[in-house]
Amino acid sequence: MTVDVEDYFHVAALSGSIDRSQWENMEFRADSSTRRLLDIFDGASIKATFFVLGWVAKKSPQLIREIHARGHEVASHGMSHKLVFNQSPAEFAAETYESKALLENLIAAPVLGYRASTYSITKRSLWALDILKEAGFQYDSSIFPIRHDVYGIPDAQEVPGPILTPKGATLVEFPMSTASLLGVKVPVSGGGYFRLLPFWLTRAGLNKLNHRLRRPFIFYLHPWETDHDQPRIPAGKLSQFRHYTNLHRCEARLMRLLGDFQFASVREVLSSASLLPGAHDAPSLFGESRLC
């Protein structure tokens, strides 16, 4: 279970309507909506990985400390939510090192994982993987093995494991989950797909991965996706469709999902597969499901 900790005005779908210079003047709702998810996870007795945007960490440092204090994994979502392939390597490196240091100072613990904004590590920005390795990250979760108008590497590996960076280093990648249903590759890892696709389709895909193929899956959502009272921002029809559809249903769907599967943090799942250093004693979490 993963959460990309950002607010409604950070998302790429609304970037054409909200300039970065306006962020400080927008109603900040990520604190309360993230705490709501923390309470839901506590009620379900699960631990998650929170990929925290550095902007949010600066705005609400106590929230990040609370995520850690409640036993969840804190990981990095960068600083600015800029698409990686729109950054220079120098700019990306600067904000990657800054975000990691910021989070580690807040929680007084290592930050091992990274997720790029809008899954923007694609074939044209694979150089970012070397920067993540050099910065000390042990795993990445930025690659989406689908075809999309903004992101995706359709032929990327679909199971978590080591990958080679362009410079020949090794980094563990936990790609976003897809499942083949009736011969069609379907994104079943959450977010907008969780809201836009029928619940049964996501559930069937995750069940195939976790129960039949005995693979771990990765699921994600944003705090704003359970915040149906958030301000409505004028935007293009496609952007509004992607951002606002079924916000009012997301929390109920999440609660159903938490009852169907067992969840853990990315660190725990990768450790159970001995993919992270010092992980050989971790219990296996693969293939566990509450589905019959």
Side-chain angles (χ1 to χ4, degrees):
M1 174 61 67
T2 68
V3 179
D4 294 353
V5 184
E6 60 193 56
D7 220 330
Y8 65 97
F9 52 85
H10 293 133
V11 302
L14 300 180
S15 61
S17 301
I18 306 171
D19 189 79
R20 293 177 182 275
S21 62
Q22 299 175 273
W23 284 6
E24 286 292 346
N25 299 320
M26 303 296 293
E27 180 184 358
F28 181 62
R29 301 174 66 89
D31 192 293
S32 59
S33 54
T34 302
R35 291 178 192 277
R36 171 63 182 158
L37 288 176
L38 287 170
D39 291 341
I40 289 173
F41 293 161
D42 279 354
S45 299
I46 70 166
K47 301 303 179 188
T49 294
F50 287 74
F51 291 96
V52 177
L53 188 66
W55 192 96
V56 174
K58 285 187 172 182
K59 185 82 170 179
S60 185
Q62 189 53 43
L63 172 65
I64 315 312
R65 295 189 186 100
E66 182 170 346
I67 292 170
H68 178 69
R70 291 208 200 186
H72 301 282
E73 180 186 9
V74 172
S76 174
H77 197 36
M79 285 297 300
S80 65
H81 213 259
K82 291 180 181 178
L83 301 179
V84 175
F85 49 70
N86 286 339
Q87 294 180 288
S88 68
E91 181 183 8
F92 176 76
E95 80 155 45
T96 298
Y97 277 84
E98 181 185 3
S99 67
K100 192 173 192 291
L102 171 64
L103 296 174
E104 290 180 338
N105 286 337
L106 285 174
I107 66 173
V111 169
L112 305 184
Y114 178 87
R115 175 174 289 163
S117 64
T118 319
Y119 305 103
S120 53
I121 293 182
T122 64
K123 285 188 175 180
R124 56 177 164 152
S125 52
L126 290 175
W127 47 261
L129 296 175
D130 279 301
I131 293 173
L132 295 179
K133 181 70 175 183
E134 291 160 6
F137 288 100
Q138 292 186 11
Y139 74 84
D140 173 64
S141 182
S142 303
I143 294 177
F144 217 139
I146 61 167
R147 205 174 296 277
H148 187 273
D149 60 332
V150 176
Y151 55 79
I153 303 179
D155 57 350
Q157 68 180 39
E158 299 180 15
V159 296
I163 59 172
L164 287 178
T165 70
K167 291 183 178 179
T170 300
L171 186 70
V172 174
E173 179 69 32
F174 201 141
M176 305 312 295
S177 296
T178 62
S180 179
L181 298 173
L182 300 177
V184 178
K185 184 188 286 189
V186 179
V188 293
S189 47
Y193 304 105
F194 187 55
R195 291 182 289 108
L196 298 173
L197 298 175
F199 177 81
W200 66 264
L201 187 63
T202 296
R203 186 178 184 270
L206 295 180
N207 183 39
K208 180 177 181 178
L209 294 175
N210 199 217
H211 196 60
R212 289 172 52 194
L213 299 178
R214 299 188 66 78
R215 291 184 195 165
F217 63 78
I218 197 161
F219 188 85
Y220 80 98
L221 76 163
H222 307 88
W224 56 261
E225 290 187 284
T226 61
D227 179 16
H228 56 83
D229 293 325
Q230 65 187 264
R232 262 39 179 187
I233 307 299
K237 289 183 179 180
L238 179 59
S239 294
Q240 290 204 32
F241 174 74
R242 285 175 169 173
H243 188 83
Y244 295 115
T245 299
N246 286 334
L247 288 180
H248 64 294
R249 293 180 175 154
C250 189
E251 182 173 319
R253 288 184 176 186
L254 175 63
M255 298 296 286
R256 289 176 63 188
L257 198 73
L258 295 182
D260 287 341
F261 298 91
Q262 292 184 353
F263 290 93
S265 69
V266 177
R267 183 186 298 191
E268 288 178 272
V269 174
L270 293 179
S271 294
S272 75
S274 299
L275 289 171
L276 296 182
H280 56 278
D281 294 327
S284 176
L285 297 170
F286 283 24
E288 295 184 357
S289 168
R290 295 197 184 108
L291 292 180
C292 299

